[in-house]
Amino acid sequence: MSESPTKVIQLTVNGRSERHTVTPRQHLADFLRENLGLKGTHLGCEHGVCGACTVRLDGQIVRGCLVLAVQANHKTVETIEGLTAARSIVELQEAFLAHNAMQCGFCSSGMLLTAAELIEKHPMASREDVRLWISGNYCRCTGYHAIVDAICAVIQARQKATLESTE
Ligand code: FES
Ligand code: FES
């Protein structure tokens, strides 16, 4: 029986250069978890539905279970660990805590990355926009109201700060 082919990939993960040998079928989420030990990227459905595996690839959120590790060759990946260490989503993380927007926490890293992209791209997002934006991220604990409250709180705080800085 022939061995499965492998490929060497080189990429930047959370600011660190990585070079690893992967099989062509290994998806990015498995690569992050198994090769790099970054277990904050979770796996739920493994077919693009639940959003638990959300990471950033070259600055855009993607589903880590739908991207192959070989597709991340020569690209930049950011995970919840990197964003937490850089404190780049600290407002959202604090709001999630303040609003009790996590129960088991399984969906939280995906929710946070998804919410962060909304806030960056649509700073004037309404509550309805928030609900729609996170509708592709499932929370099995069904804590959606608290999650929406937390995201809206960050949007409102940013809008207030922008208003005050222009007065
Ligand atoms: S595990 Fe990737 S979307 Fe569910
Ligand atoms: S907090 Fe448990 S799945 Fe969302």
Side-chain angles (χ1 to χ4, degrees):
M1 202 168 83
S2 64
E3 287 182 16
S4 46
T6 57
K7 182 173 168 58
V8 176
I9 59 168
Q10 187 137 19
L11 67 167
T12 303
V13 180
N14 296 333
R16 208 175 122 157
S17 181
E18 300 282 355
R19 187 181 163 87
H20 290 263
T21 302
V22 297
T23 59
R25 292 172 66 89
Q26 184 176 18
H27 62 56
L28 182 58
D30 266 348
F31 169 74
L32 294 168
R33 290 175 55 84
E34 291 170 11
N35 294 56
L36 303 185
L38 296 170
K39 302 279 171 82
T41 300
H42 292 156
L43 282 165
C45 66
E46 290 199 66
H47 62 272
V49 175
C50 73
C53 60
T54 304
V55 294
R56 280 189 195 159
L57 182 64
D58 279 352
Q60 302 285 320
I61 56 168
V62 295
R63 310 234 142 171
C65 70
L66 293 186
V67 176
L68 296 170
V70 291
Q71 292 176 292
N73 194 18
H74 303 304
K75 296 192 174 171
T76 297
V77 176
E78 292 163 281
T79 70
I80 189 69
E81 290 90 347
L83 296 170
T84 300
R87 294 181 60 79
S88 44
I89 54 167
V90 69
E91 289 165 275
L92 271 169
Q93 288 171 314
E94 286 175 355
F96 268 54
L97 281 176
H99 290 268
N100 204 18
M102 59 184 85
Q103 293 169 68
C104 76
F106 193 82
C107 68
S108 303
S109 42
M111 283 287 186
L112 286 162
L113 266 75
T114 302
E117 184 154 286
L118 169 71
I119 290 169
E120 288 310 318
K121 288 189 170 168
H122 303 286
M124 303 304 287
S126 66
R127 189 174 180 90
E128 205 42 47
D129 295 332
V130 172
R131 290 171 62 86
L132 196 62
W133 190 268
I134 64 161
S135 61
N137 288 69
Y138 291 1
C139 176
R140 289 291 179 90
C141 301
T142 68
Y144 294 108
H145 287 298
I147 292 167
V148 172
D149 285 347
I151 299 168
C152 287
V154 174
I155 291 171
Q156 283 156 13
R158 283 197 173 196
Q159 287 172 353
K160 189 165 175 269
T162 305
L163 206 63
E164 284 169 1
S165 70
T166 56
E167 281 175 357

